[in-house]
Amino acid sequence: MPELPEVETVCAGLKPHLVNNAITSITLRRGDLRFPVNRKALAPFRGRSILDITRRGKYILMHFGEGGLLWHLGMSGSLRLEARRRPPRKHDHLTLRFPDTYLHFNDPRRFGLVLPVAGFADHPLLAKLGPEPLTRAFSKPYLERALAGRRIGIKQAIMDNKVVVGVGNIYASEALFAAGLHPLIPANALSRDQYGKLSKSIKKILGAAIRAGGTTLRDFTDANGNPGYFKQQLLVYGRVHAPCLRCGEPITKLTVAGRSTFLCRVCQPRVPRLRVS
DNA sequence: CGAAACTCCTGAGCGC
DNA sequence: TGCGCTCAGGAGTTTC
């Protein structure tokens, strides 16, 4: 399940191999992805060089001289570099050939996408995205402002790409645990300090996950096939009934808006405790 | 506008 | 060994 740290890890793995390399051939095997894509739309990219590869939220932006390819890994997608030609594997929907490498896009569930775009700046899929969590734009005052009037649970709120990009189901649970906040607290009901603590927790968790190369639960690997190691640092996600590593209370699992949600009921009280100062 | 339901899809895991 | 069921979930779209 690629979230921001996993996508960042994939980008970092792709860049040194692909930037300043030209696509020599394109093989599309299945185009019915999140949005349909066809050979005709991809054909103009043959022979063109990749100038840069960047990330926006969980999207990967492959920049060419004019226009680019916009990618998303959905929840089961992967981009994998291979030095040698090999037979396509099941769900290898697209393969880009470069002089020294092959790039395979594999996605069993086909929630992912690859989209030829004229430009990224004003593309509708990117235009309304919230700030990057690891920038200064994502701050205590920003978060307080962005969530004013929002009555949904704080977990749903931080997973909303218009509020902040890149926080998926795993890191939402982890960040709320780190901030000591119950996932169902209304998004507009946090104290000023809690908005600060939450924004800091999100930055801390995502930063640590990037440094660990992402989280491999089942099958995530980077562009070179290596797993990520952040799973060892998960404190609540997937740990239902296991003791909280801070207080010993068994971890609870809830379903919030259809998503598995893990928390410690002691460390994350639903009603913030009154503190005597 | 906000909020919630709905939708896409395949593979893993489970009970029998 | 196989069948049928449930679950996993990013995020765009639809509905109210």
Side-chain angles (χ1 to χ4, degrees):
Chain A
M1 294 147 234
E3 301 184 29
L4 186 148
E6 290 73 36
V7 177
E8 180 72 24
T9 300
V10 168
C11 278
L14 293 177
K15 276 184 81 161
H17 290 92
L18 299 186
V19 169
N20 293 325
N21 279 266
I23 297 175
T24 57
S25 72
I26 299 172
T27 306
L28 180 68
R29 301 184 189 82
R30 275 197 82 151
D32 52 339
L33 305 174
R34 185 74 176 79
F35 298 110
V37 58
N38 57 53
R39 286 184 180 79
K40 213 172 184 176
L42 290 169
F45 289 87
R46 190 161 73 91
R48 308 230 312 250
S49 275
I50 296 176
L51 302 186
D52 199 7
I53 298 174
T54 59
R55 178 190 60 72
R56 178 76 175 97
K58 297 176 195 169
Y59 289 93
I60 296 169
L61 285 59
M62 217 173 256
H63 303 254
F64 293 78
E66 43 190 281
L69 293 175
L70 181 61
W71 305 77
H72 197 294
L73 301 179
M75 83 147 254
S76 59
S78 62
L79 282 168
R80 183 73 175 271
L81 294 166
E82 302 271 355
R84 285 175 234 300
R85 182 192 181 92
R86 60 150 170 80
R89 294 179 188 151
K90 199 174 183 184
H91 308 302
D92 276 350
H93 305 312
L94 176 67
T95 297
L96 301 184
R97 184 179 181 176
F98 295 85
D100 298 320
T101 192
Y102 294 80
L103 177 66
H104 303 283
F105 176 63
N106 185 289
D107 187 4
R109 272 164 245 192
R110 308 208 309 282
F111 284 9
L113 70 89
V114 52
L115 216 52
V117 300
F120 294 115
D122 51 358
H123 193 277
L125 291 176
L126 305 176
K128 290 177 181 169
L129 294 178
E132 287 289 328
L134 296 176
T135 63
R136 295 181 65 160
F138 182 65
S139 63
K140 166 160 77 171
Y142 166 78
L143 195 56
E144 184 173 13
R145 219 176 332 114
L147 298 184
R150 299 295 299 271
R151 294 160 62 166
I152 52 173
I154 188 61
K155 175 170 184 258
Q156 282 175 265
I158 60 174
M159 290 177 67
D160 180 348
N161 280 337
K162 292 187 285 300
V163 173
V164 59
V165 296
V167 182
N169 199 43
I170 296 173
Y171 299 115
S173 280
E174 294 298 314
L176 289 171
F177 175 76
L181 296 170
H182 192 289
L184 294 177
I185 296 175
N188 65 350
L190 274 59
S191 70
R192 188 156 289 183
D193 277 355
Q194 287 174 324
Y195 287 114
K197 185 148 197 201
L198 180 55
S199 59
K200 282 202 171 76
S201 295
I202 289 171
K203 290 171 192 284
K204 192 184 85 180
I205 297 285
L206 294 179
I210 290 171
R211 287 191 292 280
T215 298
T216 297
L217 289 181
R218 190 171 298 139
D219 49 14
F220 168 76
T221 67
D222 70 9
N224 298 300
N226 308 305
Y229 296 98
F230 193 70
K231 186 182 178 186
Q232 308 162 24
Q233 296 178 57
L234 296 178
L235 299 185
V236 289
Y237 187 89
R239 298 193 62 245
V240 62
H241 303 324
C244 171
L245 296 167
R246 187 183 288 160
C247 77
E249 176 80 7
I251 297 298
T252 300
K253 179 181 174 182
L254 300 178
T255 298
V256 176
R259 301 286 184 271
S260 300
T261 303
F262 299 86
L263 71 145
C264 169
R265 290 194 182 275
V266 171
C267 298
Q268 297 166 267
R270 178 135 182 196
V271 177
R273 286 186 180 137
L274 293 177
R275 286 205 313 203
V276 183
S277 55

